[in-house]
Amino acid sequence: MFNKERIREEIIIPPYEGRSAFLRKGEELIIIDMDGKQVGDFVCFNHADPTEYVSPVHMRASLSSIRLKTGDFLYSNKRRPLMQLVEDTVGKHDFFFPACDYYRYKVDFDLEDHPNCHDNLQMALKKYNIDPPVIPDPINLFMNNVVDDLGDYFIAEPLSKPGDFVRLKALDDTVIACTTCSQDLAPVNGWKVTSLKMQIVEAR
């Protein structure tokens, strides 16, 4: 599927964990759903200035949409594009919901120690000395948020199949982090948590 000679780094994200990586301008990031129906919570920071990060609320304003499409830019809180979605085999993602966190499992499921995406992203970013006071809302890759004509929604199982992927191009030097969504108590990941794979492709 991909020219392996151009892959600079390959990273497996195990279930219930997060990983981070550095991308040079022009490099591409491929995120692969290895077993299907696995959401990946994704965040991205400007490497030179981590106070700038991909911001879903600014994306919704800049794109005039809550739908992420091939060719769309991932806009920052400074309204600049940091990445671009250049290829997508699924076509259904979410950038409306926050990452699951301690309070999600405590309030909704009465669980104290369930793994969560917020903490996984926070931990993964420390590899690059990025520790913001607030973790930005993620782009939830492969998440199937179904919205009706009235604006009401429900979460269905992802449409992604084993091997489905997205490809993102870095438009600046960036640090990204992605976590396998930890939700195993709802249909978000098809009721189980599996691995994702990230590949960093050298700039052409």
Side-chain angles (χ1 to χ4, degrees):
M1 180 167 55
F2 310 120
N3 183 351
K4 293 184 180 299
E5 293 182 355
R6 295 178 51 243
I7 294 175
R8 173 169 69 80
E9 187 175 3
E10 186 168 274
I11 302 167
I12 300 294
I13 311 175
Y16 303 101
E17 295 186 21
R19 295 290 185 271
S20 58
F22 168 70
L23 273 80
R24 303 179 185 93
K25 181 179 179 179
E27 291 187 323
E28 294 179 347
L29 174 69
I30 301 165
I31 302 178
I32 305 167
D33 189 350
M34 299 177 68
D35 298 309
K37 297 186 178 183
Q38 177 59 50
V39 171
D41 285 37
F42 174 85
V43 295
C44 171
F45 292 79
N46 180 345
H47 177 258
D49 176 14
T51 65
E52 182 179 21
Y53 51 82
V54 167
S55 169
V57 68
H58 292 87
M59 283 180 57
R60 296 193 294 269
S62 295
L63 298 173
S64 297
S65 180
I66 60 170
R67 184 167 60 98
L68 185 62
K69 308 172 294 300
T70 301
D72 281 350
F73 293 109
L74 277 56
Y75 288 94
S76 77
N77 57 319
K78 297 184 179 179
R79 301 182 186 269
R80 290 196 318 126
L82 292 182
M83 302 191 86
Q84 183 180 24
L85 178 63
V86 296
E87 194 172 358
D88 178 7
T89 65
V90 180
K92 189 63 186 291
H93 313 280
D94 168 79
F95 55 108
F96 193 80
F97 281 84
C100 63
D101 52 25
Y102 164 82
Y103 301 101
R104 163 74 162 133
Y105 296 102
K106 175 60 178 175
V107 171
D108 293 344
F109 301 101
D110 197 28
L111 295 174
E112 285 282 355
D113 57 356
H114 196 283
N116 66 80
C117 292
H118 174 277
D119 292 354
N120 289 342
L121 290 170
Q122 188 175 51
M123 188 176 303
L125 288 166
K126 289 181 178 179
K127 176 180 178 180
Y128 293 95
N129 298 314
I130 296 177
D131 190 14
V134 177
I135 297 294
D137 285 345
I139 296 174
N140 300 301
L141 298 169
F142 312 123
M143 184 173 173
N144 188 11
N145 174 21
V146 181
V147 183
D148 67 18
D149 292 340
L150 298 176
D152 297 325
Y153 64 84
F154 66 93
I155 306 301
E157 293 188 7
L159 303 178
S160 53
K161 302 178 297 296
D164 274 333
F165 67 92
V166 295
R167 183 189 293 251
L168 299 161
K169 183 174 182 178
L171 305 179
D172 211 329
D173 289 354
T174 60
V175 172
I176 63 90
C178 186
T179 176
T180 49
C181 177
S182 299
Q183 179 56 269
D184 52 12
L185 303 165
V188 178
N189 302 300
W191 302 97
K192 64 179 181 179
V193 180
T194 56
S195 298
L196 296 171
K197 181 191 293 185
M198 298 195 298
Q199 295 175 329
I200 299 174
V201 181
E202 294 176 354
R204 301 177 184 179

